[in-house]
Amino acid sequence: MERIPILRIGDLLLVSIQVDMHDRLAMTLQDDLTDRIVKDRAKGVLIDISALDLVDSFIGRMISNTAAMARVLDAQTVLVGMQPAVAITLVELGLTLPGVKTALNVEKGIALLGKSYQS
Amino acid sequence: MERIPILRIGDLLLVSIQVDMHDRLAMTLQDDLTDRIVKDRAKGVLIDISALDLVDSFIGRMISNTAAMARVLDAQTVLVGMQPAVAITLVELGLTLPGVKTALNVEKGIALLGKSYQS
């Protein structure tokens, strides 16, 4: 079965989205991720979307929901690697990503998460 | 154009392979990765294959070649996240991965790379 791998780095989890999202894949990812947050006692989740040329309202909502799920499990989510064209489209379409922090790349995302729970 | 994202973590690069490899995608990955090793002065490359259910001789050779390219650029490669079924198939098919170190997961891969160049 197709699923998106979740990589653990210290107390963070990294998800790199490279394939087109559809309903079932998104649900599987949310199931897997919430399981892993609990099992690995993760304090943060990095979602990398550098491979995506397009973020539509479905993916936007999926990311927001995932971040909300992580939050109630006491993990913070940072969205990283957004392409400039995706940022332009998001704003032009009026899409917001409520409750989701963003960072330029994985490294800056790790730094952002580090600051927010180590301080 | 389809390409596999390369994520930078400190002086390491992380590549998570989630899609079926074909000739052109493999070449693009090798081009991108060698570029990034030089540009980011990376000391190590982690290739995660936890999403792959099957590693055939094409992917095996691609991974070995990529590791060889990284090596001449002074970066070490560690293959991480291999599924048990993949390990079984590799051995049964008589495929070896010459010049490629392996580790159970990304974390152990980072530790392995850290040991090999920090000592």
Side-chain angles (χ1 to χ4, degrees), chain A residues 1 3-5 7-10 14 16-19 48 50-51 53 106-107 110, chain B residues 1 3-5 7-11 14 16-19 48 50-51 53 106-107 110:
Chain A
M1 194 186 138
R3 57 175 69 222
I4 294 174
L7 309 177
R8 179 172 161 190
I9 302 171
L14 171 64
S16 171
I17 298 179
Q18 299 174 21
V19 292
D48 173 74
S50 57
D53 293 322
V106 171
E107 251 189 321
I110 291 175
Chain B
M1 195 184 139
R3 56 177 68 223
I4 295 174
L7 308 177
R8 180 172 161 188
I9 302 171
D11 47 9
L14 172 63
S16 170
I17 297 179
Q18 299 175 20
V19 292
D48 173 74
S50 57
D53 293 323
V106 172
E107 250 188 322
I110 291 174

PDB file of all heavy atoms in Angstrom, chain A residues 1 3-5 7-10 14 16-19 48 50-51 53 106-107 110, chain B residues 1 3-5 7-11 14 16-19 48 50-51 53 106-107 110:
ATOM      1  N   MET A   1       0.838  -1.207   0.000  1.00  0.00           N
ATOM      2  CA  MET A   1       0.000   0.000   0.000  1.00  0.00           C
ATOM      3  C   MET A   1       0.863   1.244   0.000  1.00  0.00           C
ATOM      4  O   MET A   1       1.898   1.307   0.642  1.00  0.00           O
ATOM      5  CB  MET A   1      -0.898  -0.017   1.240  1.00  0.00           C
ATOM      6  CG  MET A   1      -2.017   0.991   1.174  1.00  0.00           C
ATOM      7  SD  MET A   1      -2.884   1.007   2.750  1.00  0.00           S
ATOM      8  CE  MET A   1      -3.118   2.752   2.949  1.00  0.00           C
ATOM      9  N   ARG A   3       2.250   4.631   0.931  1.00  0.00           N
ATOM     10  CA  ARG A   3       2.224   5.534   2.071  1.00  0.00           C
ATOM     11  C   ARG A   3       3.454   6.433   2.079  1.00  0.00           C
ATOM     12  O   ARG A   3       4.470   6.106   1.478  1.00  0.00           O
ATOM     13  CB  ARG A   3       2.070   4.776   3.394  1.00  0.00           C
ATOM     14  CG  ARG A   3       3.137   3.737   3.668  1.00  0.00           C
ATOM     15  CD  ARG A   3       2.939   3.143   5.046  1.00  0.00           C
ATOM     16  NE  ARG A   3       1.750   2.327   5.147  1.00  0.00           N
ATOM     17  CZ  ARG A   3       0.908   2.337   6.190  1.00  0.00           C
ATOM     18  NH1 ARG A   3       1.132   3.123   7.209  1.00  0.00           N
ATOM     19  NH2 ARG A   3      -0.124   1.539   6.229  1.00  0.00           N
ATOM     20  N   ILE A   4       3.326   7.551   2.748  1.00  0.00           N
ATOM     21  CA  ILE A   4       4.412   8.522   2.775  1.00  0.00           C
ATOM     22  C   ILE A   4       5.279   8.223   3.991  1.00  0.00           C
ATOM     23  O   ILE A   4       4.769   8.148   5.110  1.00  0.00           O
ATOM     24  CB  ILE A   4       3.830   9.943   2.834  1.00  0.00           C
ATOM     25  CG1 ILE A   4       3.076  10.236   1.532  1.00  0.00           C
ATOM     26  CG2 ILE A   4       4.928  10.972   3.067  1.00  0.00           C
ATOM     27  CD1 ILE A   4       2.339  11.543   1.519  1.00  0.00           C
ATOM     28  N   PRO A   5       6.598   8.033   3.800  1.00  0.00           N
ATOM     29  CA  PRO A   5       7.440   7.678   4.945  1.00  0.00           C
ATOM     30  C   PRO A   5       7.599   8.841   5.919  1.00  0.00           C
ATOM     31  O   PRO A   5       7.597  10.001   5.527  1.00  0.00           O
ATOM     32  CB  PRO A   5       8.784   7.334   4.301  1.00  0.00           C
ATOM     33  CG  PRO A   5       8.785   7.997   2.979  1.00  0.00           C
ATOM     34  CD  PRO A   5       7.357   8.081   2.539  1.00  0.00           C
ATOM     35  N   LEU A   7      10.172  10.149   8.754  1.00  0.00           N
ATOM     36  CA  LEU A   7      11.550   9.949   9.201  1.00  0.00           C
ATOM     37  C   LEU A   7      11.758  10.637  10.539  1.00  0.00           C
ATOM     38  O   LEU A   7      11.331  11.773  10.739  1.00  0.00           O
ATOM     39  CB  LEU A   7      12.520  10.522   8.165  1.00  0.00           C
ATOM     40  CG  LEU A   7      12.287  10.054   6.721  1.00  0.00           C
ATOM     41  CD1 LEU A   7      13.246  10.749   5.781  1.00  0.00           C
ATOM     42  CD2 LEU A   7      12.437   8.550   6.628  1.00  0.00           C
ATOM     43  N   ARG A   8      12.427   9.938  11.434  1.00  0.00           N
ATOM     44  CA  ARG A   8      12.679  10.525  12.746  1.00  0.00           C
ATOM     45  C   ARG A   8      14.079  11.112  12.804  1.00  0.00           C
ATOM     46  O   ARG A   8      15.044  10.463  12.426  1.00  0.00           O
ATOM     47  CB  ARG A   8      12.529   9.434  13.799  1.00  0.00           C
ATOM     48  CG  ARG A   8      12.792   9.935  15.187  1.00  0.00           C
ATOM     49  CD  ARG A   8      12.436   8.873  16.177  1.00  0.00           C
ATOM     50  NE  ARG A   8      13.083   9.130  17.444  1.00  0.00           N
ATOM     51  CZ  ARG A   8      13.095   8.275  18.432  1.00  0.00           C
ATOM     52  NH1 ARG A   8      12.497   7.117  18.300  1.00  0.00           N
ATOM     53  NH2 ARG A   8      13.699   8.573  19.545  1.00  0.00           N
ATOM     54  N   ILE A   9      14.182  12.334  13.262  1.00  0.00           N
ATOM     55  CA  ILE A   9      15.483  12.984  13.463  1.00  0.00           C
ATOM     56  C   ILE A   9      15.457  13.565  14.865  1.00  0.00           C
ATOM     57  O   ILE A   9      14.804  14.580  15.104  1.00  0.00           O
ATOM     58  CB  ILE A   9      15.715  14.107  12.441  1.00  0.00           C
ATOM     59  CG1 ILE A   9      15.621  13.548  11.018  1.00  0.00           C
ATOM     60  CG2 ILE A   9      17.055  14.773  12.668  1.00  0.00           C
ATOM     61  CD1 ILE A   9      15.626  14.616   9.950  1.00  0.00           C
ATOM     62  N   GLY A  10      16.143  12.916  15.793  1.00  0.00           N
ATOM     63  CA  GLY A  10      16.090  13.349  17.184  1.00  0.00           C
ATOM     64  C   GLY A  10      14.651  13.252  17.669  1.00  0.00           C
ATOM     65  O   GLY A  10      14.007  12.220  17.508  1.00  0.00           O
ATOM     66  N   LEU A  14      10.052  14.013  10.290  1.00  0.00           N
ATOM     67  CA  LEU A  14      10.129  14.696   9.001  1.00  0.00           C
ATOM     68  C   LEU A  14       9.304  13.940   7.973  1.00  0.00           C
ATOM     69  O   LEU A  14       9.456  12.736   7.791  1.00  0.00           O
ATOM     70  CB  LEU A  14      11.589  14.771   8.545  1.00  0.00           C
ATOM     71  CG  LEU A  14      11.859  15.255   7.118  1.00  0.00           C
ATOM     72  CD1 LEU A  14      11.405  16.699   6.940  1.00  0.00           C
ATOM     73  CD2 LEU A  14      13.340  15.153   6.794  1.00  0.00           C
ATOM     74  N   SER A  16       8.275  14.191   3.950  1.00  0.00           N
ATOM     75  CA  SER A  16       8.541  14.850   2.676  1.00  0.00           C
ATOM     76  C   SER A  16       7.467  14.430   1.679  1.00  0.00           C
ATOM     77  O   SER A  16       7.388  13.273   1.297  1.00  0.00           O
ATOM     78  CB  SER A  16       9.943  14.430   2.202  1.00  0.00           C
ATOM     79  OG  SER A  16      10.170  14.865   0.893  1.00  0.00           O
ATOM     80  N   ILE A  17       6.640  15.390   1.309  1.00  0.00           N
ATOM     81  CA  ILE A  17       5.525  15.068   0.412  1.00  0.00           C
ATOM     82  C   ILE A  17       5.979  15.226  -1.035  1.00  0.00           C
ATOM     83  O   ILE A  17       6.392  16.300  -1.444  1.00  0.00           O
ATOM     84  CB  ILE A  17       4.303  15.964   0.706  1.00  0.00           C
ATOM     85  CG1 ILE A  17       3.819  15.702   2.133  1.00  0.00           C
ATOM     86  CG2 ILE A  17       3.187  15.702  -0.306  1.00  0.00           C
ATOM     87  CD1 ILE A  17       2.640  16.540   2.554  1.00  0.00           C
ATOM     88  N   GLN A  18       5.957  14.127  -1.777  1.00  0.00           N
ATOM     89  CA  GLN A  18       6.463  14.155  -3.154  1.00  0.00           C
ATOM     90  C   GLN A  18       5.430  13.712  -4.158  1.00  0.00           C
ATOM     91  O   GLN A  18       5.643  13.838  -5.351  1.00  0.00           O
ATOM     92  CB  GLN A  18       7.676  13.220  -3.280  1.00  0.00           C
ATOM     93  CG  GLN A  18       8.824  13.613  -2.396  1.00  0.00           C
ATOM     94  CD  GLN A  18       9.952  12.586  -2.431  1.00  0.00           C
ATOM     95  OE1 GLN A  18      10.050  11.807  -3.357  1.00  0.00           O
ATOM     96  NE2 GLN A  18      10.786  12.604  -1.422  1.00  0.00           N
ATOM     97  N   VAL A  19       4.359  13.138  -3.675  1.00  0.00           N
ATOM     98  CA  VAL A  19       3.375  12.587  -4.613  1.00  0.00           C
ATOM     99  C   VAL A  19       2.058  13.339  -4.481  1.00  0.00           C
ATOM    100  O   VAL A  19       1.838  14.072  -3.519  1.00  0.00           O
ATOM    101  CB  VAL A  19       3.136  11.081  -4.333  1.00  0.00           C
ATOM    102  CG1 VAL A  19       4.369  10.277  -4.676  1.00  0.00           C
ATOM    103  CG2 VAL A  19       2.731  10.848  -2.894  1.00  0.00           C
ATOM    104  N   ASP A  48       7.832  18.792   4.590  1.00  0.00           N
ATOM    105  CA  ASP A  48       8.555  19.383   3.464  1.00  0.00           C
ATOM    106  C   ASP A  48       7.724  19.290   2.199  1.00  0.00           C
ATOM    107  O   ASP A  48       7.297  18.201   1.816  1.00  0.00           O
ATOM    108  CB  ASP A  48       9.889  18.655   3.256  1.00  0.00           C
ATOM    109  CG  ASP A  48      10.588  19.124   1.999  1.00  0.00           C
ATOM    110  OD1 ASP A  48      11.119  20.242   2.027  1.00  0.00           O
ATOM    111  OD2 ASP A  48      10.568  18.398   0.989  1.00  0.00           O
ATOM    112  N   SER A  50       8.843  20.827  -0.762  1.00  0.00           N
ATOM    113  CA  SER A  50       9.672  21.395  -1.834  1.00  0.00           C
ATOM    114  C   SER A  50       9.451  20.707  -3.173  1.00  0.00           C
ATOM    115  O   SER A  50       9.781  21.261  -4.218  1.00  0.00           O
ATOM    116  CB  SER A  50      11.155  21.351  -1.448  1.00  0.00           C
ATOM    117  OG  SER A  50      11.561  20.032  -1.162  1.00  0.00           O
ATOM    118  N   ALA A  51       8.887  19.503  -3.153  1.00  0.00           N
ATOM    119  CA  ALA A  51       8.638  18.802  -4.417  1.00  0.00           C
ATOM    120  C   ALA A  51       7.298  19.188  -5.039  1.00  0.00           C
ATOM    121  O   ALA A  51       7.013  18.796  -6.164  1.00  0.00           O
ATOM    122  CB  ALA A  51       8.678  17.288  -4.196  1.00  0.00           C
ATOM    123  N   ASP A  53       4.640  21.501  -6.863  1.00  0.00           N
ATOM    124  CA  ASP A  53       4.538  22.689  -7.705  1.00  0.00           C
ATOM    125  C   ASP A  53       3.236  23.431  -7.438  1.00  0.00           C
ATOM    126  O   ASP A  53       3.052  24.564  -7.878  1.00  0.00           O
ATOM    127  CB  ASP A  53       4.552  22.294  -9.188  1.00  0.00           C
ATOM    128  CG  ASP A  53       5.888  21.715  -9.596  1.00  0.00           C
ATOM    129  OD1 ASP A  53       6.914  22.214  -9.109  1.00  0.00           O
ATOM    130  OD2 ASP A  53       5.895  20.761 -10.397  1.00  0.00           O
ATOM    131  N   VAL A 106      14.449  22.791   5.648  1.00  0.00           N
ATOM    132  CA  VAL A 106      14.440  21.867   6.788  1.00  0.00           C
ATOM    133  C   VAL A 106      15.314  22.394   7.929  1.00  0.00           C
ATOM    134  O   VAL A 106      14.915  22.363   9.095  1.00  0.00           O
ATOM    135  CB  VAL A 106      14.927  20.462   6.354  1.00  0.00           C
ATOM    136  CG1 VAL A 106      15.134  19.558   7.559  1.00  0.00           C
ATOM    137  CG2 VAL A 106      13.923  19.824   5.415  1.00  0.00           C
ATOM    138  N   GLU A 107      16.491  22.893   7.564  1.00  0.00           N
ATOM    139  CA  GLU A 107      17.400  23.383   8.603  1.00  0.00           C
ATOM    140  C   GLU A 107      16.788  24.508   9.428  1.00  0.00           C
ATOM    141  O   GLU A 107      16.861  24.507  10.649  1.00  0.00           O
ATOM    142  CB  GLU A 107      18.671  23.892   7.937  1.00  0.00           C
ATOM    143  CG  GLU A 107      19.828  22.971   8.200  1.00  0.00           C
ATOM    144  CD  GLU A 107      21.115  23.563   7.732  1.00  0.00           C
ATOM    145  OE1 GLU A 107      21.134  24.200   6.667  1.00  0.00           O
ATOM    146  OE2 GLU A 107      22.109  23.381   8.450  1.00  0.00           O
ATOM    147  N   ILE A 110      14.086  23.157  11.656  1.00  0.00           N
ATOM    148  CA  ILE A 110      14.609  22.516  12.870  1.00  0.00           C
ATOM    149  C   ILE A 110      14.994  23.592  13.887  1.00  0.00           C
ATOM    150  O   ILE A 110      14.689  23.482  15.077  1.00  0.00           O
ATOM    151  CB  ILE A 110      15.832  21.626  12.519  1.00  0.00           C
ATOM    152  CG1 ILE A 110      15.390  20.412  11.699  1.00  0.00           C
ATOM    153  CG2 ILE A 110      16.555  21.170  13.799  1.00  0.00           C
ATOM    154  CD1 ILE A 110      16.535  19.537  11.193  1.00  0.00           C
TER     155      ILE A 110
ATOM    156  N   MET B   1       8.764  19.779 -13.911  1.00  0.00           N
ATOM    157  CA  MET B   1       9.455  18.501 -14.104  1.00  0.00           C
ATOM    158  C   MET B   1       9.581  17.737 -12.788  1.00  0.00           C
ATOM    159  O   MET B   1       9.825  18.321 -11.757  1.00  0.00           O
ATOM    160  CB  MET B   1      10.856  18.763 -14.666  1.00  0.00           C
ATOM    161  CG  MET B   1      11.514  17.531 -15.228  1.00  0.00           C
ATOM    162  SD  MET B   1      13.186  17.966 -15.744  1.00  0.00           S
ATOM    163  CE  MET B   1      14.057  16.533 -15.184  1.00  0.00           C
ATOM    164  N   ARG B   3      11.058  15.796  -9.907  1.00  0.00           N
ATOM    165  CA  ARG B   3      12.379  15.548  -9.334  1.00  0.00           C
ATOM    166  C   ARG B   3      12.255  15.208  -7.857  1.00  0.00           C
ATOM    167  O   ARG B   3      11.268  15.541  -7.218  1.00  0.00           O
ATOM    168  CB  ARG B   3      13.335  16.716  -9.565  1.00  0.00           C
ATOM    169  CG  ARG B   3      12.848  18.061  -9.063  1.00  0.00           C
ATOM    170  CD  ARG B   3      13.916  19.124  -9.286  1.00  0.00           C
ATOM    171  NE  ARG B   3      14.158  19.427 -10.661  1.00  0.00           N
ATOM    172  CZ  ARG B   3      15.377  19.600 -11.203  1.00  0.00           C
ATOM    173  NH1 ARG B   3      16.448  19.481 -10.464  1.00  0.00           N
ATOM    174  NH2 ARG B   3      15.514  19.902 -12.475  1.00  0.00           N
ATOM    175  N   ILE B   4      13.263  14.521  -7.351  1.00  0.00           N
ATOM    176  CA  ILE B   4      13.239  14.105  -5.960  1.00  0.00           C
ATOM    177  C   ILE B   4      13.914  15.180  -5.119  1.00  0.00           C
ATOM    178  O   ILE B   4      15.042  15.571  -5.417  1.00  0.00           O
ATOM    179  CB  ILE B   4      13.967  12.753  -5.821  1.00  0.00           C
ATOM    180  CG1 ILE B   4      13.194  11.678  -6.591  1.00  0.00           C
ATOM    181  CG2 ILE B   4      14.127  12.364  -4.360  1.00  0.00           C
ATOM    182  CD1 ILE B   4      13.862  10.342  -6.651  1.00  0.00           C
ATOM    183  N   PRO B   5      13.237  15.690  -4.091  1.00  0.00           N
ATOM    184  CA  PRO B   5      13.830  16.776  -3.318  1.00  0.00           C
ATOM    185  C   PRO B   5      15.030  16.305  -2.492  1.00  0.00           C
ATOM    186  O   PRO B   5      15.066  15.163  -2.028  1.00  0.00           O
ATOM    187  CB  PRO B   5      12.693  17.237  -2.407  1.00  0.00           C
ATOM    188  CG  PRO B   5      11.759  16.108  -2.334  1.00  0.00           C
ATOM    189  CD  PRO B   5      11.893  15.345  -3.617  1.00  0.00           C
ATOM    190  N   LEU B   7      17.089  17.328   0.842  1.00  0.00           N
ATOM    191  CA  LEU B   7      16.938  18.160   2.037  1.00  0.00           C
ATOM    192  C   LEU B   7      18.271  18.260   2.768  1.00  0.00           C
ATOM    193  O   LEU B   7      18.953  17.257   2.953  1.00  0.00           O
ATOM    194  CB  LEU B   7      15.885  17.544   2.960  1.00  0.00           C
ATOM    195  CG  LEU B   7      14.541  17.216   2.303  1.00  0.00           C
ATOM    196  CD1 LEU B   7      13.623  16.553   3.300  1.00  0.00           C
ATOM    197  CD2 LEU B   7      13.914  18.466   1.742  1.00  0.00           C
ATOM    198  N   ARG B   8      18.608  19.461   3.181  1.00  0.00           N
ATOM    199  CA  ARG B   8      19.868  19.655   3.891  1.00  0.00           C
ATOM    200  C   ARG B   8      19.635  19.669   5.388  1.00  0.00           C
ATOM    201  O   ARG B   8      18.756  20.366   5.888  1.00  0.00           O
ATOM    202  CB  ARG B   8      20.481  20.978   3.454  1.00  0.00           C
ATOM    203  CG  ARG B   8      21.776  21.256   4.139  1.00  0.00           C
ATOM    204  CD  ARG B   8      22.413  22.466   3.526  1.00  0.00           C
ATOM    205  NE  ARG B   8      23.395  23.018   4.429  1.00  0.00           N
ATOM    206  CZ  ARG B   8      23.997  24.178   4.220  1.00  0.00           C
ATOM    207  NH1 ARG B   8      23.678  24.900   3.174  1.00  0.00           N
ATOM    208  NH2 ARG B   8      24.875  24.620   5.069  1.00  0.00           N
ATOM    209  N   ILE B   9      20.421  18.875   6.102  1.00  0.00           N
ATOM    210  CA  ILE B   9      20.365  18.859   7.567  1.00  0.00           C
ATOM    211  C   ILE B   9      21.795  18.989   8.037  1.00  0.00           C
ATOM    212  O   ILE B   9      22.567  18.036   7.972  1.00  0.00           O
ATOM    213  CB  ILE B   9      19.756  17.551   8.095  1.00  0.00           C
ATOM    214  CG1 ILE B   9      18.350  17.347   7.524  1.00  0.00           C
ATOM    215  CG2 ILE B   9      19.714  17.551   9.624  1.00  0.00           C
ATOM    216  CD1 ILE B   9      17.767  15.978   7.817  1.00  0.00           C
ATOM    217  N   GLY B  10      22.154  20.163   8.515  1.00  0.00           N
ATOM    218  CA  GLY B  10      23.546  20.406   8.904  1.00  0.00           C
ATOM    219  C   GLY B  10      24.435  20.225   7.690  1.00  0.00           C
ATOM    220  O   GLY B  10      24.165  20.798   6.630  1.00  0.00           O
ATOM    221  N   ASP B  11      25.486  19.404   7.799  1.00  0.00           N
ATOM    222  CA  ASP B  11      26.337  19.182   6.626  1.00  0.00           C
ATOM    223  C   ASP B  11      26.013  17.847   5.947  1.00  0.00           C
ATOM    224  O   ASP B  11      26.851  17.267   5.266  1.00  0.00           O
ATOM    225  CB  ASP B  11      27.829  19.299   6.958  1.00  0.00           C
ATOM    226  CG  ASP B  11      28.190  18.523   8.199  1.00  0.00           C
ATOM    227  OD1 ASP B  11      27.331  17.777   8.689  1.00  0.00           O
ATOM    228  OD2 ASP B  11      29.337  18.649   8.664  1.00  0.00           O
ATOM    229  N   LEU B  14      19.749  14.783   2.721  1.00  0.00           N
ATOM    230  CA  LEU B  14      18.823  13.660   2.869  1.00  0.00           C
ATOM    231  C   LEU B  14      17.950  13.540   1.629  1.00  0.00           C
ATOM    232  O   LEU B  14      17.341  14.518   1.199  1.00  0.00           O
ATOM    233  CB  LEU B  14      17.943  13.882   4.108  1.00  0.00           C
ATOM    234  CG  LEU B  14      16.781  12.919   4.319  1.00  0.00           C
ATOM    235  CD1 LEU B  14      17.269  11.501   4.527  1.00  0.00           C
ATOM    236  CD2 LEU B  14      15.942  13.350   5.516  1.00  0.00           C
ATOM    237  N   SER B  16      14.839  11.208   0.158  1.00  0.00           N
ATOM    238  CA  SER B  16      13.849  10.186   0.471  1.00  0.00           C
ATOM    239  C   SER B  16      13.211   9.728  -0.836  1.00  0.00           C
ATOM    240  O   SER B  16      12.514  10.491  -1.493  1.00  0.00           O
ATOM    241  CB  SER B  16      12.816  10.785   1.428  1.00  0.00           C
ATOM    242  OG  SER B  16      11.730   9.924   1.589  1.00  0.00           O
ATOM    243  N   ILE B  17      13.484   8.492  -1.209  1.00  0.00           N
ATOM    244  CA  ILE B  17      12.965   7.985  -2.481  1.00  0.00           C
ATOM    245  C   ILE B  17      11.590   7.363  -2.258  1.00  0.00           C
ATOM    246  O   ILE B  17      11.445   6.433  -1.481  1.00  0.00           O
ATOM    247  CB  ILE B  17      13.934   6.956  -3.098  1.00  0.00           C
ATOM    248  CG1 ILE B  17      15.263   7.650  -3.402  1.00  0.00           C
ATOM    249  CG2 ILE B  17      13.347   6.349  -4.378  1.00  0.00           C
ATOM    250  CD1 ILE B  17      16.313   6.741  -3.982  1.00  0.00           C
ATOM    251  N   GLN B  18      10.582   7.940  -2.896  1.00  0.00           N
ATOM    252  CA  GLN B  18       9.206   7.479  -2.675  1.00  0.00           C
ATOM    253  C   GLN B  18       8.529   7.052  -3.948  1.00  0.00           C
ATOM    254  O   GLN B  18       7.451   6.475  -3.917  1.00  0.00           O
ATOM    255  CB  GLN B  18       8.374   8.608  -2.055  1.00  0.00           C
ATOM    256  CG  GLN B  18       8.895   9.069  -0.713  1.00  0.00           C
ATOM    257  CD  GLN B  18       8.119  10.261  -0.194  1.00  0.00           C
ATOM    258  OE1 GLN B  18       7.012  10.523  -0.614  1.00  0.00           O
ATOM    259  NE2 GLN B  18       8.715  10.982   0.733  1.00  0.00           N
ATOM    260  N   VAL B  19       9.126   7.389  -5.073  1.00  0.00           N
ATOM    261  CA  VAL B  19       8.456   7.108  -6.341  1.00  0.00           C
ATOM    262  C   VAL B  19       9.261   6.090  -7.131  1.00  0.00           C
ATOM    263  O   VAL B  19      10.430   5.843  -6.837  1.00  0.00           O
ATOM    264  CB  VAL B  19       8.271   8.399  -7.171  1.00  0.00           C
ATOM    265  CG1 VAL B  19       7.285   9.316  -6.484  1.00  0.00           C
ATOM    266  CG2 VAL B  19       9.594   9.109  -7.373  1.00  0.00           C
ATOM    267  N   ASP B  48      17.092   7.518   1.924  1.00  0.00           N
ATOM    268  CA  ASP B  48      16.053   6.764   2.634  1.00  0.00           C
ATOM    269  C   ASP B  48      15.193   5.999   1.636  1.00  0.00           C
ATOM    270  O   ASP B  48      14.644   6.587   0.706  1.00  0.00           O
ATOM    271  CB  ASP B  48      15.177   7.726   3.439  1.00  0.00           C
ATOM    272  CG  ASP B  48      13.992   7.010   4.056  1.00  0.00           C
ATOM    273  OD1 ASP B  48      14.198   6.268   5.027  1.00  0.00           O
ATOM    274  OD2 ASP B  48      12.863   7.166   3.550  1.00  0.00           O
ATOM    275  N   SER B  50      12.722   3.786   2.808  1.00  0.00           N
ATOM    276  CA  SER B  50      11.688   3.121   3.611  1.00  0.00           C
ATOM    277  C   SER B  50      10.359   3.014   2.867  1.00  0.00           C
ATOM    278  O   SER B  50       9.510   2.198   3.220  1.00  0.00           O
ATOM    279  CB  SER B  50      11.504   3.819   4.957  1.00  0.00           C
ATOM    280  OG  SER B  50      11.185   5.173   4.780  1.00  0.00           O
ATOM    281  N   ALA B  51      10.165   3.842   1.850  1.00  0.00           N
ATOM    282  CA  ALA B  51       8.905   3.780   1.104  1.00  0.00           C
ATOM    283  C   ALA B  51       8.932   2.733  -0.003  1.00  0.00           C
ATOM    284  O   ALA B  51       7.908   2.462  -0.619  1.00  0.00           O
ATOM    285  CB  ALA B  51       8.584   5.148   0.509  1.00  0.00           C
ATOM    286  N   ASP B  53       9.006  -0.888  -1.616  1.00  0.00           N
ATOM    287  CA  ASP B  53       8.690  -2.285  -1.322  1.00  0.00           C
ATOM    288  C   ASP B  53       9.615  -3.221  -2.082  1.00  0.00           C
ATOM    289  O   ASP B  53       9.654  -4.416  -1.821  1.00  0.00           O
ATOM    290  CB  ASP B  53       7.251  -2.606  -1.747  1.00  0.00           C
ATOM    291  CG  ASP B  53       6.246  -1.866  -0.903  1.00  0.00           C
ATOM    292  OD1 ASP B  53       6.501  -1.718   0.308  1.00  0.00           O
ATOM    293  OD2 ASP B  53       5.231  -1.410  -1.455  1.00  0.00           O
ATOM    294  N   VAL B 106      17.116   6.890   9.699  1.00  0.00           N
ATOM    295  CA  VAL B 106      17.811   8.160   9.479  1.00  0.00           C
ATOM    296  C   VAL B 106      18.691   8.522  10.679  1.00  0.00           C
ATOM    297  O   VAL B 106      19.844   8.925  10.512  1.00  0.00           O
ATOM    298  CB  VAL B 106      16.799   9.297   9.212  1.00  0.00           C
ATOM    299  CG1 VAL B 106      17.491  10.647   9.188  1.00  0.00           C
ATOM    300  CG2 VAL B 106      16.102   9.078   7.876  1.00  0.00           C
ATOM    301  N   GLU B 107      18.132   8.332  11.877  1.00  0.00           N
ATOM    302  CA  GLU B 107      18.897   8.691  13.070  1.00  0.00           C
ATOM    303  C   GLU B 107      20.206   7.919  13.180  1.00  0.00           C
ATOM    304  O   GLU B 107      21.260   8.483  13.440  1.00  0.00           O
ATOM    305  CB  GLU B 107      18.055   8.400  14.301  1.00  0.00           C
ATOM    306  CG  GLU B 107      17.622   9.675  14.959  1.00  0.00           C
ATOM    307  CD  GLU B 107      16.965   9.406  16.273  1.00  0.00           C
ATOM    308  OE1 GLU B 107      16.218   8.407  16.376  1.00  0.00           O
ATOM    309  OE2 GLU B 107      17.192  10.205  17.180  1.00  0.00           O
ATOM    310  N   ILE B 110      22.645   9.127  10.576  1.00  0.00           N
ATOM    311  CA  ILE B 110      23.314  10.380  10.970  1.00  0.00           C
ATOM    312  C   ILE B 110      24.431  10.063  11.950  1.00  0.00           C
ATOM    313  O   ILE B 110      25.550  10.594  11.846  1.00  0.00           O
ATOM    314  CB  ILE B 110      22.295  11.375  11.588  1.00  0.00           C
ATOM    315  CG1 ILE B 110      21.329  11.873  10.509  1.00  0.00           C
ATOM    316  CG2 ILE B 110      23.017  12.560  12.236  1.00  0.00           C
ATOM    317  CD1 ILE B 110      20.198  12.746  11.039  1.00  0.00           C
TER     318      ILE B 110
END
